[in-house]
Short mmCIF file of all heavy atoms in Angstrom, two decimals:
data_model
loop_
_atom_site.label_atom_id
_atom_site.label_comp_id
_atom_site.label_asym_id
_atom_site.label_seq_id
_atom_site.Cartn_x
_atom_site.Cartn_y
_atom_site.Cartn_z
N GLN A 362 63.54 115.96 88.47
CA GLN A 362 64.83 115.31 88.26
C GLN A 362 65.96 116.11 88.96
O GLN A 362 66.86 115.53 89.57
CB GLN A 362 65.12 115.19 86.77
CG GLN A 362 66.46 114.49 86.45
CD GLN A 362 66.49 113.07 86.97
OE1 GLN A 362 65.48 112.38 86.92
NE2 GLN A 362 67.63 112.65 87.47
N GLN A 363 65.88 117.44 88.88
CA GLN A 363 66.88 118.28 89.54
C GLN A 363 66.80 118.12 91.05
O GLN A 363 67.82 118.08 91.73
CB GLN A 363 66.67 119.75 89.15
CG GLN A 363 67.70 120.71 89.75
CD GLN A 363 69.11 120.39 89.27
OE1 GLN A 363 69.34 120.12 88.10
NE2 GLN A 363 70.07 120.42 90.21
N ALA A 364 65.59 118.06 91.56
CA ALA A 364 65.41 117.86 93.02
C ALA A 364 65.99 116.54 93.48
O ALA A 364 66.65 116.45 94.54
CB ALA A 364 63.93 117.97 93.39
N LYS A 365 65.80 115.50 92.66
CA LYS A 365 66.35 114.19 92.99
C LYS A 365 67.88 114.20 92.98
O LYS A 365 68.51 113.64 93.86
CB LYS A 365 65.82 113.16 91.99
CG LYS A 365 66.31 111.73 92.29
CD LYS A 365 65.74 110.76 91.26
CE LYS A 365 66.26 109.34 91.55
NZ LYS A 365 65.72 108.38 90.54
N THR A 366 68.44 114.91 91.99
CA THR A 366 69.90 115.02 91.91
C THR A 366 70.46 115.76 93.11
O THR A 366 71.46 115.35 93.70
CB THR A 366 70.30 115.75 90.60
OG1 THR A 366 69.82 114.98 89.48
CG2 THR A 366 71.82 115.88 90.51
N ASP A 367 69.79 116.87 93.49
CA ASP A 367 70.25 117.63 94.63
C ASP A 367 70.19 116.81 95.92
O ASP A 367 71.10 116.87 96.74
CB ASP A 367 69.38 118.89 94.80
CG ASP A 367 69.61 119.91 93.68
OD1 ASP A 367 70.63 119.77 92.97
OD2 ASP A 367 68.76 120.81 93.53
N ALA A 368 69.11 116.02 96.07
CA ALA A 368 69.01 115.17 97.28
C ALA A 368 70.09 114.11 97.27
O ALA A 368 70.65 113.81 98.34
CB ALA A 368 67.62 114.50 97.29
N SER A 369 70.43 113.55 96.12
CA SER A 369 71.49 112.54 96.04
C SER A 369 72.83 113.12 96.43
O SER A 369 73.62 112.52 97.15
CB SER A 369 71.55 111.94 94.64
OG SER A 369 70.37 111.23 94.34
N LEU A 370 73.13 114.34 95.91
CA LEU A 370 74.40 114.98 96.22
C LEU A 370 74.48 115.33 97.71
O LEU A 370 75.54 115.18 98.34
CB LEU A 370 74.56 116.24 95.39
CG LEU A 370 74.78 116.03 93.87
CD1 LEU A 370 74.78 117.36 93.14
CD2 LEU A 370 76.10 115.28 93.63
N ARG A 371 73.37 115.75 98.28
CA ARG A 371 73.33 116.07 99.71
C ARG A 371 73.56 114.82 100.54
O ARG A 371 74.31 114.85 101.53
CB ARG A 371 71.99 116.72 100.07
CG ARG A 371 71.92 117.24 101.49
CD ARG A 371 70.70 118.12 101.68
NE ARG A 371 69.46 117.44 101.42
CZ ARG A 371 68.66 117.70 100.38
NH1 ARG A 371 69.01 118.65 99.50
NH2 ARG A 371 67.55 117.02 100.20
N THR A 372 72.94 113.74 100.12
CA THR A 372 73.16 112.48 100.84
C THR A 372 74.59 112.00 100.73
O THR A 372 75.20 111.57 101.74
CB THR A 372 72.21 111.39 100.26
OG1 THR A 372 70.87 111.79 100.47
CG2 THR A 372 72.45 110.03 100.94
N LEU A 373 75.18 112.05 99.54
CA LEU A 373 76.56 111.65 99.34
C LEU A 373 77.51 112.50 100.18
O LEU A 373 78.43 111.96 100.81
CB LEU A 373 76.94 111.76 97.85
CG LEU A 373 78.39 111.43 97.49
CD1 LEU A 373 78.75 110.03 97.91
CD2 LEU A 373 78.63 111.65 96.00
N ALA A 374 77.29 113.82 100.23
CA ALA A 374 78.15 114.69 101.03
C ALA A 374 78.04 114.34 102.51
O ALA A 374 79.03 114.31 103.24
CB ALA A 374 77.77 116.15 100.79
N ALA A 375 76.82 114.08 102.97
CA ALA A 375 76.64 113.78 104.40
C ALA A 375 77.27 112.43 104.78
O ALA A 375 77.95 112.33 105.80
CB ALA A 375 75.13 113.74 104.71
N ILE A 376 77.06 111.42 103.96
CA ILE A 376 77.61 110.09 104.26
C ILE A 376 79.13 110.11 104.15
O ILE A 376 79.84 109.49 104.96
CB ILE A 376 77.00 109.03 103.33
CG1 ILE A 376 75.49 108.95 103.50
CG2 ILE A 376 77.63 107.66 103.61
CD1 ILE A 376 75.04 108.69 104.91
N SER A 377 79.66 110.85 103.19
CA SER A 377 81.12 110.95 103.07
C SER A 377 81.73 111.68 104.26
O SER A 377 82.83 111.35 104.72
CB SER A 377 81.48 111.70 101.75
OG SER A 377 81.03 110.96 100.62
N THR A 378 81.02 112.68 104.79
CA THR A 378 81.50 113.38 105.98
C THR A 378 81.57 112.41 107.16
O THR A 378 82.52 112.45 107.95
CB THR A 378 80.57 114.55 106.33
OG1 THR A 378 80.53 115.48 105.21
CG2 THR A 378 81.07 115.30 107.55
N ALA A 379 80.56 111.56 107.30
CA ALA A 379 80.61 110.56 108.39
C ALA A 379 81.78 109.62 108.21
O ALA A 379 82.45 109.27 109.19
CB ALA A 379 79.28 109.77 108.39
N HIS A 380 82.08 109.24 106.96
CA HIS A 380 83.21 108.35 106.72
C HIS A 380 84.53 109.05 107.05
O HIS A 380 85.49 108.44 107.52
CB HIS A 380 83.20 107.86 105.28
CG HIS A 380 84.02 106.66 105.03
ND1 HIS A 380 84.70 106.44 103.86
CD2 HIS A 380 84.28 105.56 105.81
CE1 HIS A 380 85.34 105.27 103.91
NE2 HIS A 380 85.10 104.74 105.10
N TRP A 381 84.57 110.36 106.79
CA TRP A 381 85.75 111.16 107.16
C TRP A 381 85.99 111.08 108.66
O TRP A 381 87.12 110.87 109.13
CB TRP A 381 85.53 112.61 106.74
CG TRP A 381 86.68 113.55 106.98
CD1 TRP A 381 87.64 113.91 106.08
CD2 TRP A 381 87.02 114.21 108.19
NE1 TRP A 381 88.54 114.77 106.66
CE2 TRP A 381 88.18 114.98 107.98
CE3 TRP A 381 86.43 114.22 109.48
CZ2 TRP A 381 88.77 115.76 108.98
CZ3 TRP A 381 87.03 114.99 110.47
CH2 TRP A 381 88.17 115.75 110.22
N VAL A 382 84.91 111.21 109.43
CA VAL A 382 84.99 111.15 110.88
C VAL A 382 85.52 109.79 111.36
O VAL A 382 86.33 109.69 112.27
CB VAL A 382 83.64 111.46 111.54
CG1 VAL A 382 83.70 111.24 113.05
CG2 VAL A 382 83.20 112.89 111.25
N SER A 383 85.06 108.71 110.71
CA SER A 383 85.47 107.37 111.15
C SER A 383 86.97 107.19 111.04
O SER A 383 87.61 106.68 111.95
CB SER A 383 84.74 106.31 110.32
OG SER A 383 85.27 106.19 109.01
N HIS A 384 87.57 107.64 109.93
CA HIS A 384 89.01 107.51 109.76
C HIS A 384 89.77 108.49 110.64
O HIS A 384 90.86 108.19 111.13
CB HIS A 384 89.39 107.71 108.29
CG HIS A 384 89.11 106.52 107.44
ND1 HIS A 384 90.09 105.75 106.86
CD2 HIS A 384 87.92 105.97 107.08
CE1 HIS A 384 89.53 104.78 106.15
NE2 HIS A 384 88.21 104.87 106.28
N PHE A 385 89.21 109.68 110.86
CA PHE A 385 89.82 110.66 111.74
C PHE A 385 89.89 110.13 113.18
O PHE A 385 90.92 110.20 113.82
CB PHE A 385 89.05 111.96 111.68
CG PHE A 385 89.52 113.00 112.67
CD1 PHE A 385 90.73 113.63 112.49
CD2 PHE A 385 88.76 113.30 113.78
CE1 PHE A 385 91.16 114.59 113.41
CE2 PHE A 385 89.17 114.24 114.72
CZ PHE A 385 90.39 114.90 114.53
N HIS A 386 88.79 109.56 113.65
CA HIS A 386 88.75 109.01 115.01
C HIS A 386 89.69 107.80 115.14
O HIS A 386 90.34 107.62 116.18
CB HIS A 386 87.33 108.60 115.38
CG HIS A 386 86.51 109.73 115.88
ND1 HIS A 386 85.17 109.63 116.19
CD2 HIS A 386 86.83 111.03 116.15
CE1 HIS A 386 84.73 110.80 116.62
NE2 HIS A 386 85.71 111.65 116.62
N PHE A 387 89.79 106.99 114.08
CA PHE A 387 90.68 105.82 114.13
C PHE A 387 92.14 106.26 114.30
O PHE A 387 92.92 105.59 115.02
CB PHE A 387 90.52 105.01 112.85
CG PHE A 387 91.57 103.93 112.69
CD1 PHE A 387 91.56 102.81 113.47
CD2 PHE A 387 92.58 104.09 111.75
CE1 PHE A 387 92.55 101.84 113.34
CE2 PHE A 387 93.56 103.12 111.59
CZ PHE A 387 93.53 101.99 112.41
N MET A 388 92.51 107.40 113.66
CA MET A 388 93.90 107.84 113.71
C MET A 388 94.18 108.70 114.93
O MET A 388 95.34 108.95 115.26
CB MET A 388 94.21 108.64 112.43
CG MET A 388 94.31 107.80 111.19
SD MET A 388 95.63 106.57 111.26
CE MET A 388 97.07 107.65 111.29
N ALA A 389 93.16 109.17 115.63
CA ALA A 389 93.37 110.12 116.75
C ALA A 389 94.21 109.49 117.85
O ALA A 389 95.14 110.11 118.39
CB ALA A 389 92.03 110.62 117.27
N LEU A 390 93.86 108.25 118.27
CA LEU A 390 94.62 107.61 119.36
C LEU A 390 96.08 107.38 119.02
O LEU A 390 96.96 107.74 119.82
CB LEU A 390 93.94 106.31 119.78
CG LEU A 390 92.72 106.41 120.68
CD1 LEU A 390 92.22 105.01 121.04
CD2 LEU A 390 93.06 107.19 121.95
N PRO A 391 96.43 106.79 117.87
CA PRO A 391 97.86 106.59 117.57
C PRO A 391 98.63 107.92 117.55
O PRO A 391 99.79 107.95 117.95
CB PRO A 391 97.84 105.91 116.18
CG PRO A 391 96.51 105.24 116.11
CD PRO A 391 95.56 106.13 116.86
N MET A 392 98.01 108.98 117.07
CA MET A 392 98.69 110.26 117.02
C MET A 392 98.99 110.82 118.43
O MET A 392 99.88 111.63 118.61
CB MET A 392 97.86 111.28 116.23
CG MET A 392 97.67 110.97 114.77
SD MET A 392 99.22 110.79 113.88
CE MET A 392 99.37 109.00 113.78
N LEU A 393 98.22 110.33 119.41
CA LEU A 393 98.40 110.80 120.78
C LEU A 393 99.22 109.83 121.62
O LEU A 393 99.29 109.95 122.85
CB LEU A 393 97.06 111.06 121.43
CG LEU A 393 96.32 112.31 120.95
CD1 LEU A 393 94.88 112.33 121.40
CD2 LEU A 393 97.04 113.56 121.44
N PHE A 394 99.80 108.81 121.01
CA PHE A 394 100.58 107.81 121.77
C PHE A 394 101.70 108.45 122.59
O PHE A 394 101.89 108.03 123.76
CB PHE A 394 101.14 106.77 120.82
CG PHE A 394 100.21 105.59 120.60
CD1 PHE A 394 98.94 105.56 121.18
CD2 PHE A 394 100.62 104.49 119.83
CE1 PHE A 394 98.07 104.48 120.96
CE2 PHE A 394 99.76 103.42 119.63
CZ PHE A 394 98.49 103.41 120.21
N PRO A 395 102.47 109.37 122.09
CA PRO A 395 103.52 109.96 122.95
C PRO A 395 102.94 110.60 124.22
O PRO A 395 103.49 110.43 125.31
CB PRO A 395 104.18 111.04 122.04
CG PRO A 395 103.92 110.50 120.64
CD PRO A 395 102.58 109.89 120.69
N PHE A 396 101.83 111.32 124.06
CA PHE A 396 101.17 111.93 125.24
C PHE A 396 100.64 110.87 126.18
O PHE A 396 100.82 110.95 127.42
CB PHE A 396 100.05 112.83 124.75
CG PHE A 396 99.05 113.22 125.82
CD1 PHE A 396 99.37 114.19 126.76
CD2 PHE A 396 97.80 112.62 125.88
CE1 PHE A 396 98.46 114.55 127.75
CE2 PHE A 396 96.89 112.97 126.87
CZ PHE A 396 97.24 113.93 127.82
N LEU A 397 99.98 109.86 125.62
CA LEU A 397 99.39 108.81 126.46
C LEU A 397 100.49 108.01 127.17
O LEU A 397 100.33 107.64 128.33
CB LEU A 397 98.53 107.88 125.60
CG LEU A 397 97.27 108.51 124.98
CD1 LEU A 397 96.62 107.53 123.99
CD2 LEU A 397 96.29 108.88 126.06
N LYS A 398 101.58 107.75 126.48
CA LYS A 398 102.69 106.98 127.09
C LYS A 398 103.24 107.73 128.29
O LYS A 398 103.48 107.15 129.37
CB LYS A 398 103.78 106.77 126.07
CG LYS A 398 104.94 105.90 126.56
CD LYS A 398 105.94 105.67 125.42
CE LYS A 398 107.04 104.72 125.87
NZ LYS A 398 107.88 105.27 126.94
N GLN A 399 103.39 109.04 128.17
CA GLN A 399 103.94 109.85 129.25
C GLN A 399 102.96 109.94 130.40
O GLN A 399 103.35 109.79 131.57
CB GLN A 399 104.31 111.23 128.73
CG GLN A 399 104.88 112.15 129.81
CD GLN A 399 105.20 113.51 129.25
OE1 GLN A 399 104.76 113.89 128.17
NE2 GLN A 399 105.97 114.29 130.02
N GLN A 400 101.70 110.17 130.12
CA GLN A 400 100.72 110.40 131.17
C GLN A 400 100.34 109.10 131.89
O GLN A 400 100.10 109.11 133.09
CB GLN A 400 99.44 111.01 130.58
CG GLN A 400 99.66 112.44 130.04
CD GLN A 400 100.04 113.41 131.14
OE1 GLN A 400 99.48 113.40 132.24
NE2 GLN A 400 101.02 114.26 130.85
N LEU A 401 100.29 108.01 131.16
CA LEU A 401 99.84 106.74 131.74
C LEU A 401 101.01 105.89 132.29
O LEU A 401 100.78 104.94 133.03
CB LEU A 401 99.06 105.91 130.70
CG LEU A 401 97.79 106.58 130.15
CD1 LEU A 401 97.15 105.70 129.10
CD2 LEU A 401 96.80 106.88 131.29
N GLY A 402 102.25 106.22 131.90
CA GLY A 402 103.39 105.45 132.37
C GLY A 402 103.41 104.02 131.86
O GLY A 402 103.79 103.10 132.58
N VAL A 403 102.98 103.81 130.60
CA VAL A 403 102.97 102.48 130.02
C VAL A 403 103.87 102.43 128.81
O VAL A 403 104.35 103.49 128.33
CB VAL A 403 101.51 102.07 129.62
CG1 VAL A 403 100.62 101.99 130.85
CG2 VAL A 403 100.96 103.04 128.58
N GLY A 404 104.14 101.24 128.28
CA GLY A 404 104.97 101.08 127.12
C GLY A 404 104.12 101.03 125.85
O GLY A 404 102.89 101.04 125.88
N TYR A 405 104.81 100.94 124.71
CA TYR A 405 104.12 100.91 123.44
C TYR A 405 103.37 99.57 123.25
O TYR A 405 102.43 99.49 122.47
CB TYR A 405 105.10 101.12 122.30
CG TYR A 405 105.49 102.59 122.14
CD1 TYR A 405 106.79 103.01 122.43
CD2 TYR A 405 104.55 103.54 121.74
CE1 TYR A 405 107.14 104.35 122.30
CE2 TYR A 405 104.89 104.86 121.63
CZ TYR A 405 106.19 105.27 121.90
OH TYR A 405 106.52 106.61 121.80
N ILE A 406 103.82 98.51 123.94
CA ILE A 406 103.09 97.27 123.84
C ILE A 406 101.68 97.40 124.42
O ILE A 406 100.68 96.98 123.83
CB ILE A 406 103.84 96.12 124.58
CG1 ILE A 406 105.14 95.81 123.84
CG2 ILE A 406 102.97 94.88 124.70
CD1 ILE A 406 105.98 94.74 124.52
N GLU A 407 101.59 98.08 125.59
CA GLU A 407 100.29 98.31 126.19
C GLU A 407 99.42 99.23 125.31
O GLU A 407 98.23 99.01 125.18
CB GLU A 407 100.45 98.95 127.58
CG GLU A 407 101.01 97.99 128.65
CD GLU A 407 102.50 97.91 128.63
OE1 GLU A 407 103.14 98.52 127.74
OE2 GLU A 407 103.08 97.24 129.53
N LEU A 408 100.07 100.24 124.70
CA LEU A 408 99.30 101.10 123.81
C LEU A 408 98.88 100.37 122.54
O LEU A 408 97.73 100.56 122.07
CB LEU A 408 100.17 102.33 123.45
CG LEU A 408 100.52 103.27 124.61
CD1 LEU A 408 101.50 104.35 124.11
CD2 LEU A 408 99.28 103.89 125.21
N GLY A 409 99.75 99.54 122.04
CA GLY A 409 99.39 98.75 120.86
C GLY A 409 98.27 97.77 121.14
O GLY A 409 97.45 97.49 120.27
#
């Protein structure tokens, strides 16, 4: 039973870490909009 509990916690931690990455990657581009706007020479409509 303890081994099963440990495996469940390990699985939950791993899957939650993956979910952390998904939201982090989703927010990465908007956070870089000022840099992208300057480097690409486009407006916020194009970035949006």
Side-chain angles (χ1 to χ4, degrees):
Q362 182 61 37
Q363 182 62 43
K365 182 179 179 181
T366 300
D367 291 344
S369 295
L370 291 175
R371 186 167 59 250
T372 298
L373 176 59
I376 299 304
S377 297
T378 301
H380 199 214
W381 184 97
V382 173
S383 75
H384 283 248
F385 174 72
H386 277 175
F387 169 72
M388 290 297 295
L390 279 183
M392 293 304 101
L393 288 167
F394 271 3
F396 165 76
L397 294 172
K398 184 177 186 294
Q399 180 181 14
Q400 294 297 316
L401 299 177
V403 297
Y405 284 112
I406 292 178
E407 288 85 355
L408 294 175

